[in-house]
Amino acid sequence: MGRADELRTIRALVTAARNQIGGALVVRGDPGIGKTALLSAATSGLTGVGVLRVDGYEAESTIAFSGLHRLLAPLRRYEDALPASQLHALRNATGTTEESSDGRPPDRFLVGLGLLGLLAAAGAERPLVCAVDDAHWLDAESLEVLAFVARRLQAESLAIVLAARDDEATTARTAGVPTLHLGGLDRDAALTLLTSTVQERLDPLAATAIVRATGGNPLALIDLARGLTVAELTASSLGDDPMPVGRTLEAHYVRQVRRTDDGTQRFLLVAAADSTGDADLVLRASQALGIDATAADEAEAAGLVTLGPSIRFRHPLVRSAAYSSSPGPERRRVHAALASAADQLGLVDLEAVHAAKATVGTDAAVADRLEQAADRAGERGGYASRASVLTRAAELTPPGPDRVRRQVAAAEAALAAGAARVAYGLLAEIDQHGLDPVLRGRVVAVETALAIFVPDPAKVVRASESMLRAADFFHGLDPEREQLALVRAFEYAMPAERLLEGVSLDELGRRLTAGAELADGPLSTILRGLGAHLTLPYADAVPPMRAAVDALSEVGDDQLLDLGAISTSLTTALWDAHARYAFLARCAAAARGRGALQVLDTVLWILSLAELNGGSPHRAGEHVEHVREVRRAIGYDAENVVNVSYLAWQGAPRAQVDAVAEGARALGFGGVHASAASALAARALAEGAYADAYALLKPLIDDPYLQVTPIQYPDFVEAAVRSGRAAEARDYVELLTASADANGSPWNRGVAERSRALVSDDDVAEDHYRAAVAALDGAAVPVERARAHLLYGEWLRRVRRRGDAREHLELAVAELDRIAATAFAARARAELAAVGGAGASRGNGRRVELTAQEATVARLAAAGRTNAEIGSTLFISVNTVDYHLRKVFQKLGISSRRQLADRRDDLR
């Protein structure tokens, strides 16, 4: 009643699903506002459309993936459509597999991709509507998985509608899904509902006052009309007492509960305290408490519950009233009975939860069982549930090491779930006096990770020092944790760069080198390589750094997820572009395979930066777009994804780039600030503003930072030579040559030869240009190769060899256009025009504009990947892959994957 507009909105979503356009909606509103009625009306009587209905239960809200378990029941027959990794993740999460786990819990986003595949397969048979009522009572993991799927819908015959209360946690978990806010009924609809519900005629003045007082809340209107006489309603409307709505609506339900006899009230309390809705469990516990078997029927007759295989309250506030109106001792007796019943039924985790609620004070045995339940939740990927259950386990634990250990583990689980506030709160409750060293180290590690995650500027710049302190706590007690802490100390130095405080790079290097001797294995070799990078002369550091890279090649994908960032530091220090991209691609593939989207987000970000250091600006932009897609999938605000270096390369105003860079610097991320200056310098070189480029690079060159500064030497040489400072440039040419001699890198050799050509006389310059082009030809650094052709072509034009100049400038224009290095392409085009080049027009006429996702789908398809493999890689459904491929074929004017492979060069 009175919901015509809202019904049209939901039915439009269903119509779109019939036309293979997937969509989702969250219907939000206060308790009793009509969400359930709207959902039922919108999904009833649909022809040719399947409806999958799953409701949330407050009692199950702490049981990881319990909602998903119920949702999957009718979808099991579509499991053959899933890749093995997704199917295993779904089964592992819901506890329906007997296969051995590899010890790492399934990431909820991989679980989400599996659910997306099942729903898409079901929708391929006939359009499907997935309707979820009381979504705020779903367990956190199930809701996050559903929200993930809702955000990924594109070309599926599927509509998802979630109905939920307006609360902060649900809003955060469903971020990015379109929302319909449901308010009270308008005056006319509310009056119609009220007057049609009361048995006698109600005075219009009183009716209007009641509608106004209830805010048009339908449930309040119905329950008031049924629960009060006309005289009472009239008196309520004219008196000073508030209507039983909002916070007082629960009191109204308390009165309804108390109108029943004692036995019925006790049965309602058992049902309200239950965490499954399982009728067998509730009835078994009721029997143990001596409650008459007819009490359940009396509760249903009173309209408070519906009986069946599960017991459902007519409204969450009825359940809340039945539970909260009972005294504490009675609630604890009920939980004890439920614990006993759960134990008899073999519900181990549920027994522990109820036993905990039945306990006053501490109980070590119950705490032990609760911790085991938390561990099982963690094994299923239920980090949020693990944090919640461990917190309660810690509360039940007598003061001592076990309590602190559980508090620390709860904080670690909260951090893994991305719940920073919860983790901070848990850490604040820990009494750190008398902690054993390992626990102190774990606390420091969590605190430091949170400081990077939030971030806290004062702690970001001292994060390496903090991790060294954590390593000190682990020393002599836990070698593996100590070595991992040392690796993190290096990793956390990278974002701060020159803002690093509390420890010098030399001291950090000595600590890493010493840590390599703690134990044998890949971590030791990696630490030895990192220590050499920080402390040894470059030529001496190359062998241990190369050994570290080899060790990284041997670690499994799970361990690589933790080490991907340092692989970039080592491979960049060795000027090994092939290995750098190979490690990052492997790490990204592992993250996608695990559904570890937060790791994938970081790796894609590093990839976008790496592409700007010798690679392809076009690819850098694609990686930024993919970061946005990942953030949308996670539920973050994708509009805040800004790679300031990419902005500079693409010609954003200098003031805008400076503002973003300064903002990052204020947060402690000195590396972002420095990379912005480097990118602005490259753009200045492209535009011929050599003095500006020199001014931007000089402070960075004078204050070198590890592997970052050497790759800036070639730009600095060009800026110095072209601004009249050739003598200053020669020192850096020698450094580039020496490092190339030490590492044998074609990338390093190519830019060293190119730089030497710039400082050489004309009679020898050409030999160096030729050597540069030859070295860079297979070095996987297209922008450096194109710039070598550009500089060579400019030199040939200057010495009046116009024909030879055209050849190299045409190559430069084609390559720079292909990789979207727009500023350098403009410079090359101008040079080409000056020698009468016929290819001075932009591009080769074949390139078409594809979106980032279309281009990625096309490249993967051209490489022979199946639609299922592409979907797993990009976290989209097979239907969406097919949709994008159809658009790509149309834009390219082709009709087959074979033709797509022939056009692979146009997809870069």
Side-chain angles (χ1 to χ4, degrees), residues 611-612 615-622 646 649-650 783 819-822:
E611 289 287 0
L612 295 175
S616 161
H618 177 69
R619 288 285 183 89
E622 285 189 347
Y646 180 68
W649 270 88
Q650 292 306 108
V783 73
I819 63 176
T822 53

Side-chain angles (χ1 to χ4, degrees), residues 37 57 88 204 422 532 547 557 573 618 665 720 816 862 893:
Y57 299 105
H88 180 70
V422 175
D557 285 351
H618 177 69
R665 191 178 190 278
L816 292 166

Side-chain angles (χ1 to χ4, degrees), residues 412-482:
E412 290 169 338
L415 177 61
R421 285 188 193 174
V422 175
Y424 271 124
L426 289 165
L427 289 176
E429 294 176 2
I430 295 173
D431 181 4
Q432 298 198 30
H433 296 293
L435 286 186
D436 70 65
V438 171
L439 283 175
R440 289 176 80 75
R442 290 171 64 184
V443 169
V444 171
V446 174
E447 289 174 339
T448 308
L450 283 169
I452 297 288
F453 186 73
V454 173
D456 181 336
K459 293 181 179 178
V460 167
V461 297
R462 305 188 76 92
S464 288
E465 178 194 33
S466 296
M467 289 312 298
L468 291 179
R469 188 155 47 89
D472 287 340
F473 286 126
F474 298 137
H475 186 66
L477 299 170
D478 194 330
E480 183 178 358
R481 286 188 191 274
E482 183 177 358

Side-chain angles (χ1 to χ4, degrees), residues 169-186:
T170 305
T171 299
R173 292 189 174 104
T174 58
V177 183
T179 298
L180 172 65
H181 285 279
L182 205 60
L185 297 175
D186 63 35

Side-chain angles (χ1 to χ4, degrees), residues 56-367:
Y57 299 105
E58 183 180 10
E60 288 190 10
S61 60
T62 60
I63 303 176
F65 294 115
S66 56
L68 181 64
H69 189 280
R70 289 184 281 112
L71 177 62
L72 289 179
L75 299 173
R76 297 290 183 191
R77 62 194 180 96
Y78 301 103
E79 289 182 343
D80 289 344
L82 296 184
S85 61
Q86 295 174 21
L87 181 57
H88 180 70
L90 278 173
R91 289 178 172 176
N92 198 358
T94 56
T96 55
T97 181
E98 295 180 359
E99 301 174 21
S100 61
S101 172
D102 57 8
R104 190 180 182 107
D107 189 284
R108 61 189 181 279
F109 299 115
L110 184 59
V111 176
L113 188 57
L115 177 60
L116 175 60
L118 287 181
L119 290 171
E125 287 189 359
R126 62 170 177 166
L128 182 66
V129 177
C130 179
V132 182
D133 198 12
D134 291 328
H136 50 277
W137 290 133
L138 284 175
D139 60 282
E141 290 77 16
S142 294
L143 182 56
E144 287 174 351
V145 165
L146 270 168
F148 169 87
V149 173
R151 289 188 287 264
R152 307 310 292 163
L153 296 181
Q154 296 182 49
E156 295 79 19
S157 296
L158 174 63
I160 296 178
V161 185
L162 309 172
R165 293 184 192 174
D166 267 321
D167 66 68
E168 185 177 347
T170 305
T171 299
R173 292 189 174 104
T174 58
V177 183
T179 298
L180 172 65
H181 285 279
L182 205 60
L185 297 175
D186 63 35
R187 177 180 174 277
D188 291 341
L191 284 171
T192 301
L193 177 62
L194 177 63
T195 56
S196 66
T197 306
V198 294
Q199 300 300 312
E200 304 174 45
R201 183 179 180 276
L202 184 63
D203 181 85
L205 181 63
T208 301
I210 292 167
V211 166
R212 184 172 57 250
T214 60
N217 184 296
L219 187 62
L221 291 168
I222 291 171
D223 283 344
L224 286 172
R226 290 175 176 171
L228 302 177
T229 65
V230 168
E232 290 171 328
L233 283 170
T234 303
S236 295
S237 69
L238 300 176
D240 294 328
D241 293 335
M243 284 286 175
V245 65
R247 291 183 178 179
T248 59
L249 188 57
E250 185 173 319
H252 177 65
Y253 289 119
V254 168
R255 289 195 294 273
Q256 287 192 353
V257 169
R258 287 180 176 170
R259 285 179 187 149
T260 63
D261 60 45
D262 290 344
T264 303
Q265 289 183 43
R266 294 188 73 204
F267 170 80
L268 288 170
L269 173 58
V270 177
D274 169 42
S275 61
T276 63
D278 187 330
D280 289 340
L281 178 67
V282 171
L283 293 174
R284 187 182 290 257
S286 298
Q287 184 179 14
L289 290 165
I291 299 172
D292 192 278
T294 61
D297 296 329
E298 293 296 330
E300 185 174 41
L304 299 175
V305 298
T306 300
L307 301 178
S310 63
I311 298 175
R312 294 188 60 191
F313 282 87
R314 63 165 298 196
H315 190 273
L317 287 178
V318 178
R319 178 183 182 274
S320 178
Y323 190 79
S324 62
S325 63
S326 298
E330 183 64 16
R331 290 200 298 264
R332 288 190 289 275
R333 278 193 292 272
V334 165
H335 280 298
L338 284 166
S340 177
D343 182 49
Q344 294 167 27
L345 293 171
L347 304 173
V348 180
D349 291 352
L350 199 58
E351 184 279 331
V353 170
H354 280 301
K357 292 180 178 179
T359 302
V360 176
T362 61
D363 187 316
V366 174

